[in-house]
Amino acid sequence: MQQAAKEQLARQAETAGWLEPSFEVEVVRTSRPLAPCAQAIRVEAADVRNPARMRFVAVCPDQGGWRYDFVTRNKISAKVAVAAADVPAGKLLAPGDLLLERHDISGMPDTFSDLGAVQEMSARRSLRAGDVLRQNMLVAPPLVKRGEPVRIVAKRDQIEVSMSGEALDTGARGAVVRVKNASGVTIRARVTEQGTVEPAELPAAN
């Protein structure tokens, strides 16, 4: 059960991008005795949505075999982004505001292990030095605002074409907004940087 839980956590860590994750797994004891099984017992995941508490099933494949449920309690730690100093609400985060520290994230699946992902985001509320940064604490600042001029840039291979336009929506980096181009035609565009968009039909730029 411990091995199955650790393998499942390792897969979730890879998907979530946790940095240097570490796991401690405790199998909750059961008072039910396990009957003998002539074949190798198979372990199946039953409910692994919550990394801190997962449920597995032990299956004896003998004819007329048995199935028993087991619960694991898991402690997960990883290096995550924390506030290096007090940050007032609304301030854009700069590299000097951030640190990577190891913390218990068992009940915090929405942390960040990539400092680049939170730089230039702003704090929804005041942060204290040492606070572990979570998604609900931060907001991406708008790079285009409704009614303001924007530059529409379309790149394909070595060719770049640009024209002026007007944003009809407000959006942060990566958001798809409506833009009226210089010809008066409304298009869907993806926000790429401050005051700049690209046609949404183009693949997202790296």
Side-chain angles (χ1 to χ4, degrees):
M1 288 299 164
Q2 285 181 326
Q3 184 62 27
K6 288 182 177 180
E7 291 175 356
Q8 179 64 40
L9 288 169
R11 288 191 290 270
Q12 294 186 1
E14 183 176 1
T15 300
W18 295 337
L19 183 61
E20 299 180 19
S22 177
F23 314 120
E24 296 179 17
V25 175
E26 175 195 0
V27 180
V28 179
R29 293 185 178 276
T30 174
S31 59
R32 297 175 61 186
L34 290 180
C37 184
Q39 301 186 54
I41 294 174
R42 187 172 69 248
V43 177
E44 301 175 351
D47 187 352
V48 294
R49 291 172 295 179
N50 179 3
R53 184 182 186 278
M54 299 191 294
R55 186 167 62 86
F56 295 87
V57 179
V59 180
C60 175
D62 288 352
Q63 184 175 3
W66 43 258
R67 295 171 61 93
Y68 287 144
D69 283 10
F70 286 87
V71 171
T72 66
R73 296 194 183 107
N74 314 310
K75 182 178 179 180
I76 307 154
S77 71
K79 287 188 174 180
V80 294
V82 302
D86 292 350
V87 178
K91 180 183 184 296
L92 292 181
L93 295 176
D97 298 317
L98 305 168
L99 287 175
L100 279 176
E101 290 183 351
R102 179 169 294 279
H103 281 270
D104 183 347
I105 61 170
S106 305
M108 297 186 291
D110 57 343
T111 54
F112 299 90
S113 286
D114 179 6
L115 294 184
V118 296
Q119 288 179 23
E120 298 187 357
M121 298 183 77
S122 60
R124 290 182 183 271
R125 59 173 176 79
S126 297
L127 304 175
R128 295 294 188 95
D131 281 352
V132 175
L133 301 184
R134 305 180 64 177
Q135 293 177 12
N136 63 356
M137 296 179 177
L138 307 175
V139 61
L143 297 183
V144 301
K145 295 183 179 179
R146 180 179 180 180
E148 293 186 352
V150 295
R151 182 168 171 256
I152 307 168
V153 179
K155 297 179 181 179
R156 179 74 55 95
D157 298 326
Q158 303 300 316
I159 301 174
E160 177 178 317
V161 178
S162 66
M163 68 187 306
S164 61
E166 178 187 342
L168 301 180
D169 300 307
T170 297
R173 189 187 307 275
V176 175
V177 298
R178 294 172 302 146
V179 173
K180 183 166 63 175
N181 64 24
S183 301
V185 177
T186 298
I187 65 170
R188 295 172 67 252
R190 184 184 300 108
V191 180
T192 57
E193 54 187 277
Q194 186 71 49
T196 304
V197 300
E198 66 181 5
E201 289 72 21
L202 292 178
N206 291 329

